[in-house]
Amino acid sequence: MSRRRRILLAAADSTAYAQSKKGEDYYLVKTDCQRIAGNPSSAFHVFAIFDGHNGNAAAIFARDNLLNHIIGAIPRGLGREEWLSALPRALVAGFVKTDKEFQSKGQTSGTTATFVIIDGWTITVASVGDSRCILDAQGDVSLLTVDHRLEENAEERERVTASGGEVGRLSIVGGAEIGPLRCWPGGLCLSRSIGDMDVGEFIVPIPHVKQVKLAKTGGRLIIASDGIWDALPSEIAAKCCRGLTAELAARQVVKEALRSRGLKDDTTCIVVDLIPPNDFIEGPPSPPKELNKLKCLGFRKKSRDSPSNLAKKLSAVGVVEELFEEGSAMLAERLGGHQSASSKLYSSLFKCAICQLDLAPCEGISVHAGSRPWEGPFLCADCRNKKDAMEGKRPSGVKVP
């Protein structure tokens, strides 16, 4: 664990408070990751939520495989700064590879994915779908994800229709239209997801990625599925649990969502506090009865500061520095762009940028198509075909093998 900050984690979902009728929400918590095996100073932490639909197979597959695909897309031997610089592109490659592998199984379910990696004070978030991650830095609430609902995202509607897809509401007898905007064929309300092989090539797995550096005054992340955000605006969710420990905060957010809207959808929430080492106030003891799927992990000694001194310390407005943001659905932009030293090293490894297949020199196809064919990243022929399909370059209705 880094000495520069401490992390307090709590995760809770609706099963702690009510029965879930669907059970398609899954989450991932890994606080023991290391960039360099055996070196505690290289620790990083992973938190993710997967909200499945049309079954839970895609959510389970993404939970079990996405992290390995992301890590596998980062060159070994990088220093911390180069590793952080390589993360955004590795997240894109990991999402696409996970989608490709799941679709090869022939199952038709899909899932949203909101994936958070914390290394020191740097937070990197990748997401597809409508789960959301917000950052509450001393009262200043920032949205670290973008919702990919067609109803609310005009840019995604334009992308889908420009690629040849159709966006419209469900028609009923008599010609009336009801419900939210959907992508046809398939009728999915989301424009990005993992899986969903039966809903057309316009639904892409390419995530929105944002990387920020948090001020050393600390902050709180709230990561939750749409069952929370359909009931609570971001600011209200952050406000309703301020002053509570992460464990109690996760419970409170779920409680407020259920009180506001009832259990109309799977409801999952993860709260992560990033706190300076000496600024932790020990909260009230947890109830002796263990709640289903409730996790709480603390990584600090009790603070020597009094509550009043801590309040003074945390009253300063936190500063969040934006390091990277990219939301394009085009792989040429997401995997190409400005190349750092680490990305140039990555290109020289002669591996497919998506599936990591070894390529012979000159065998790969550049993501830059005809503009800069000599410049990586490179894709194998199969992934190039997948890329064209995901970006809507196949006629509607043509299935990708």
Side-chain angles (χ1 to χ4, degrees), residues 143-204:
L143 184 60
L144 300 186
T145 54
V146 169
D147 290 349
H148 294 131
R149 284 185 178 179
L150 289 165
E151 182 73 32
E152 298 153 7
N153 194 318
E155 290 185 1
E156 286 296 283
R157 294 198 298 271
E158 292 173 3
R159 178 186 64 79
V160 169
T161 54
S163 298
E166 296 182 10
V167 175
R169 304 185 194 280
L170 185 65
S171 297
I172 59 176
V173 177
E177 295 183 340
I178 60 171
L181 289 174
R182 302 173 184 269
C183 178
W184 305 96
L188 192 66
C189 299
L190 306 175
S191 60
R192 304 194 196 190
S193 69
I194 291 175
D196 290 309
M197 66 174 297
D198 61 333
V199 299
E201 62 272 23
F202 312 110
I203 308 301
V204 300

Side-chain angles (χ1 to χ4, degrees), residues 327-347:
S328 170
M330 301 299 146
L331 276 176
E333 297 179 27
R334 303 305 303 277
L335 296 177
H338 301 291
Q339 291 195 330
S340 63
S342 61
S343 63
K344 291 179 180 177
L345 170 65
Y346 181 71
S347 297

Side-chain angles (χ1 to χ4, degrees), residues 24-185:
E24 294 174 344
D25 270 14
Y26 293 84
Y27 61 80
L28 174 68
V29 171
K30 285 187 70 68
T31 59
D32 57 353
C33 302
Q34 294 179 345
R35 289 183 289 106
I36 304 171
N39 184 352
S41 67
S42 68
F44 66 95
H45 315 280
V46 173
F47 310 97
I49 283 180
F50 307 95
D51 183 2
H53 46 263
N54 195 23
N56 61 9
I60 294 173
F61 186 86
R63 179 198 63 186
D64 295 344
N65 293 278
L66 181 53
L67 175 59
N68 288 337
H69 291 336
I70 293 167
I71 300 304
I74 302 177
R76 295 183 180 181
L78 298 181
R80 180 174 178 273
E81 294 305 318
E82 284 190 325
W83 190 87
L84 288 171
S85 179
L87 254 184
R89 195 171 68 179
L91 283 158
V92 175
F95 270 64
V96 175
K97 184 179 181 182
T98 301
D99 174 77
K100 176 185 174 183
E101 286 192 354
F102 180 74
Q103 291 206 23
S104 70
K105 297 179 177 297
Q107 300 185 62
T108 58
S109 70
T111 185
T112 73
T114 296
F115 202 92
V116 180
I117 294 178
I118 300 175
D119 187 329
W121 293 104
T122 300
I123 304 166
T124 309
V125 183
S127 64
V128 292
D130 56 2
S131 295
R132 187 182 302 173
C133 175
I134 66 172
L135 170 63
D136 185 5
Q138 286 73 61
D140 185 11
V141 178
S142 305
L143 184 60
L144 300 186
T145 54
V146 169
D147 290 349
H148 294 131
R149 284 185 178 179
L150 289 165
E151 182 73 32
E152 298 153 7
N153 194 318
E155 290 185 1
E156 286 296 283
R157 294 198 298 271
E158 292 173 3
R159 178 186 64 79
V160 169
T161 54
S163 298
E166 296 182 10
V167 175
R169 304 185 194 280
L170 185 65
S171 297
I172 59 176
V173 177
E177 295 183 340
I178 60 171
L181 289 174
R182 302 173 184 269
C183 178
W184 305 96

